[in-house]
Amino acid sequence: MSDVAVIGDIDTVTGFKLGGVKKGIIVKTNEDAENALDELLNDEISIIIITQKIADNIREYIDKRIGAEVLPMIIEIPDKSGSSEGGSDQMAALIKRVIGVEMVK
């Protein structure tokens, strides 16, 4: 596995491509997002950057496809309109996925 890819709206994908990310998939529907995730998993991408709103819309699908696997690492970022209200604590979720323990304060 290698490389970084991004799934998002046109502005997010364009920004990352200008920053040097080679693989970017623009999505408009949940079905597009699920197909994009499948494509990247088949390409064995190690880091997938996805906007929070898109990830929130396909959360169950992400959990089903990725499960408890460490790779690919899914990094959720805000889109141009900012963070989503219902966004979960992604760092805690990543730690739990990697080491299998939930971190609490």
Side-chain angles (χ1 to χ4, degrees):
M1 286 191 163
S2 62
D3 288 332
V4 176
V6 63
I7 299 172
D9 58 85
I10 190 166
D11 295 327
T12 302
V13 171
T14 301
F16 274 91
K17 283 192 159 198
L18 289 172
V21 173
K22 294 177 184 169
K23 182 89 174 180
I25 303 174
I26 299 167
V27 299
K28 295 182 180 182
T29 66
N30 292 348
E31 185 178 353
D32 290 345
E34 291 172 359
N35 291 335
L37 181 63
D38 287 339
E39 179 183 331
L40 296 177
L41 292 174
N42 289 335
D43 287 348
E44 297 188 343
I45 301 294
S46 58
I47 299 174
I48 299 172
I49 300 167
I50 186 170
T51 61
Q52 287 176 336
K53 289 181 183 175
I54 292 171
D56 287 343
N57 289 338
I58 64 166
R59 177 78 51 217
E60 288 181 21
Y61 191 76
I62 292 172
D63 292 342
K64 182 176 90 174
R65 291 289 285 134
I66 305 297
E69 297 295 320
V70 175
L71 291 176
M73 182 183 304
I74 305 288
I75 300 174
E76 296 180 23
I77 61 165
D79 62 10
K80 66 181 178 184
S81 62
S83 296
S84 63
E85 291 292 322
S88 60
D89 184 358
Q90 295 305 310
M91 186 56 72
L94 178 61
I95 291 170
K96 183 176 180 181
R97 214 170 98 201
V98 171
I99 64 172
V101 177
E102 186 171 354
M103 305 299 289
V104 293
K105 293 179 185 178

